[in-house]
Amino acid sequence: MKQLFYNGVIVTGENQVVIPDGFMVVEDGVIEVVGTQDQLDQFSSIPNKVNLKGNWLIPGLINTHGHIGSTLLRGYGDDLPLATWLETKMWPMEAKFTDETINAAASLAILEMLKSGTTTFLEMYHLHLDLIANLVDTSGIRSCLTRGMIGLCSKTEQESKLAEALQLSRDLRKIGQGRITTMLAPHAPYTCPPEFLEMIVHEAKKQHLPIHTHLSETAKEVSEHFTKYGKRPVEHLAEIGVFDVHTLIAHGVHLTDEELDILEKYQVAVSHNPMSNLKLGSGIAPVGKMLKKQILVSIGTDSAASNNNLDMFQEMRMAALIHKGSSEDPTVVSANEAFLMATYNGAKALGFDSLGLVEVGYAADFVIVNAEKPHLQPNSHVLSHLVYSASGADVVEVYVNGKCLVRDGQCLTMDEEQIIFYANKAFKKLYS
Amino acid sequence: MKQLFYNGVIVTGENQVVIPDGFMVVEDGVIEVVGTQDQLDQFSSIPNKVNLKGNWLIPGLINTHGHIGSTLLRGYGDDLPLATWLETKMWPMEAKFTDETINAAASLAILEMLKSGTTTFLEMYHLHLDLIANLVDTSGIRSCLTRGMIGLCSKTEQESKLAEALQLSRDLRKIGQGRITTMLAPHAPYTCPPEFLEMIVHEAKKQHLPIHTHLSETAKEVSEHFTKYGKRPVEHLAEIGVFDVHTLIAHGVHLTDEELDILEKYQVAVSHNPMSNLKLGSGIAPVGKMLKKQILVSIGTDSAASNNNLDMFQEMRMAALIHKGSSEDPTVVSANEAFLMATYNGAKALGFDSLGLVEVGYAADFVIVNAEKPHLQPNSHVLSHLVYSASGADVVEVYVNGKCLVRDGQCLTMDEEQIIFYANKAFKKLYS
């Protein structure tokens, strides 16, 4: 089915191109034409027309790191030292998680993400990924699902976790009509001994699977790593061969210039999680330096337990602001760079082809932003407003693969009232 | 007229008190009763009832530093070095401002602030404060208006500016039925020579007017100040006697421990503007240290030209996050501290009595937040969600002095469509 979207401002996502009087034709989930209003006549016979009414059509936002299975822990522990937070708040609750918890949490998160303009998300989780995949399937969102593996266990258990991850990788990719991809996800260097990482790299190469891992989130973990191995984590992973596979690291807060050189050399992609890094007191990642080195930086929210929302507009804004302030240089991370991080760079980081731009041949994953909000006026500076002033609440419509998932701010594929009811019910059960 | 607000969650603003099943009675613009549902029977005869439907009733947010006259420059220059931004973007445009510009800009800003839950704002501006006062009057918002004075001119001109500020102070306070207060506002130590500051302090004491000024926003201004005067700005102002008057400083980014001691000694209030300080690359204010010293810290957005929105929820969130990250300590600036900064501390910083709390005897300036949003679930952690997850878009109703100004997200006292139309029209005229 061909669809024509006309009378809108189109932000293609590349090189700050903003078409003030744009239109777009979509067929079979793919963008077929992007043009200006004066070329519109030749497409007037398309029966399915959507009048954008001057609103802004942008690529869907791509969240490259999170744990949506933990969404019910949003706000359950704030302002605590990291160890206290993990030991007294997160872990005791996570130990009680059931399939009901995960289902309620993941439904809530996908609903929140879709409504706020996220069309693709990466999930690292260790439980019930099959449930999450089913929700991806029915909600219509796109996802990269990774089974987080902690290797602080016997070799047999390590092998069993890896086998499970590989089997899941095969099974999950069959769900969601091609909208689900997978990666192998060793949790972190401090939870995965070298031998386990080697096993994972071996399988990743064999199965052509990328790798996703937490890396150098806190100063403490890096210092402990150095004490244990006599080298810093990036050097360690490079030596083990992790970076011989396409790798996406989450956080990357505590990195030396030498480590940045290694990431650049191996073209390792980064998921920058500024809100979570701030909230947990982890620090501020050297994103200005990463960009200078042409390291691929994308953006992730991390879990709602440490963010505490999944609004990629707010995350993008933070990514654009924080490095200016911390380096006292207002030219660091431009609006365009932040926008690319949240869209095209995210697609590349996750290994998706033809995703993250509003360009001919790209997947029709896009978002329509209400241009009539007071905080988006004067409406001449579209890219600036998208990065520095907009929020997920400005999203009116969301499409994935050309299918409308959110219309007039309401999710068409999920029952919001029911999801909120079950989220609270499941949390109360955990809490009691 | 008595009004009863029942069946809500009431966040009083003091000591993290959240009443899960609360009600409130308002009469003549003042909060008369705050209680729990079990005491409700005795108030059932009040005819004007508002069912809060489980939503969250919180004190109105108080924005303690801004320049709403410049709102039309939102997004007009980003990611530029400060001098370039000022010299090529801000100043040439500001030179073209007319009463039409200011009217359009201030209308847009007040609309944005009201819709996002701000009930009181401080304005420092040098032009057409009478127009802004009239908009405060008709919109129903509360405001502290200050005529920003730059003293880089002859003594005669300095005297004339001060006389104008004093006359405005008298005139503006007559507008807005008691909702407008004033301060004297020397722009900054680097734009106001000592003799001019002395003149201002003299009049401030005589007229019992507080003082508002920019202070130590950038490293450059502080270093130049030291070169010129042989002392740092805070010491300089203390010696001139500025702090003998109740003073609210904006920014306070570059302060030594000795300067913080002086601010503490004189009980100087601070308007913390984290977003603007980040965006302009000014740096990160030592708010953790300020709080340890019991310095009164409030929150301001600064102008939309350097923020780029006026959403106090997002500003409060930033104030809670940034200091955790920059100090790598997640216990710095708790949710409750950030919430107080954006409410009660703001009222105290502006010198308002009985404002900023939902408590008996306080002004009925309050906001109702929609508790049914996905990103505010599970809904048990109200204060956490208000600070770490909510945004201005979650506001459904806003009251000032007991009068409803926003209902169902729509401003009752301002014509949104018209304001947006004139904002764009006025900007196009400036730009051409």
Side-chain angles (χ1 to χ4, degrees), chain A residues 413-427:
Chain A
T413 52
M414 305 185 90
D415 183 333
E416 180 162 341
E417 201 178 321
Q418 196 179 65
I419 287 169
I420 289 176
F421 174 81
Y422 282 112
N424 282 292
K425 192 177 159 199
F427 177 74

Side-chain angles (χ1 to χ4, degrees), chain A residues 7-11 18-22 52 54-58 371 379 382:
Chain A
N7 191 24
V9 176
I10 297 184
V11 180
V18 176
I19 306 171
D21 57 338
L52 296 168
N55 285 330
W56 304 341
L57 190 155
I58 69 172
N379 60 20
V382 178

Side-chain angles (χ1 to χ4, degrees), chain B residues 277-334:
Chain B
N277 297 157
L278 292 174
K279 183 152 191 287
L280 298 178
S282 305
I284 298 170
V287 168
K289 285 184 181 177
M290 291 177 189
L291 294 179
K292 273 200 188 132
K293 286 188 189 290
Q294 318 280 332
I295 292 171
L296 184 76
V297 183
S298 62
I299 297 179
T301 56
D302 207 354
S303 150
S306 64
N307 187 300
N308 288 355
N309 67 35
L310 306 176
D311 182 340
M312 278 289 289
F313 281 93
Q314 289 190 44
E315 205 70 31
M316 172 164 70
R317 186 182 187 201
M318 184 62 94
L321 290 177
I322 181 78
H323 308 290
K324 293 177 168 66
S326 64
S327 64
E328 298 191 17
D329 179 353
T331 68
V332 176
V333 188
S334 67

Side-chain angles (χ1 to χ4, degrees), chain A residues 72 74-76 78-81 108 111-112 254 275 278-283 307-309 314 317-318 321-322 324-325 328-331 334-335 372 374-375 377-381 384-385 388-389 391 393 416 420 424 427, chain B residues 72 74-76 78-81 108 111-112 254 275 278-283 307-309 314 317-318 321-322 324-325 328-331 334-335 372 374-375 377-381 384-385 388-389 391 393 416 420 424 427:
Chain A
L72 297 191
R74 187 200 321 265
Y76 176 60
D78 301 313
D79 313 331
L80 296 169
L108 182 64
L111 174 69
E112 182 188 347
H254 298 276
M275 294 267 192
L278 292 173
K279 183 153 191 289
L280 298 178
S282 304
N307 187 300
N308 288 351
N309 67 36
Q314 290 189 43
R317 186 182 188 202
M318 183 62 95
L321 289 177
I322 182 76
K324 292 176 170 66
E328 297 190 18
D329 179 354
T331 68
S334 68
E372 289 292 309
H375 60 278
Q377 312 306 321
N379 60 20
S380 330
H381 322 293
S384 168
H385 294 343
Y388 291 119
S389 192
S391 85
E416 180 162 341
I420 289 176
N424 282 292
F427 177 74
Chain B
L72 297 191
R74 186 199 322 266
Y76 177 59
D78 301 312
D79 312 332
L80 296 169
L108 181 65
L111 174 69
E112 182 188 348
H254 297 276
M275 294 269 192
L278 292 174
K279 183 152 191 287
L280 298 178
S282 305
N307 187 300
N308 288 355
N309 67 35
Q314 289 190 44
R317 186 182 187 201
M318 184 62 94
L321 290 177
I322 181 78
K324 293 177 168 66
E328 298 191 17
D329 179 353
T331 68
S334 67
E372 290 293 310
H375 60 279
Q377 312 306 320
N379 60 20
S380 330
H381 322 293
S384 168
H385 294 343
Y388 292 119
S389 192
S391 84
E416 180 161 341
I420 289 176
N424 282 292
F427 177 74

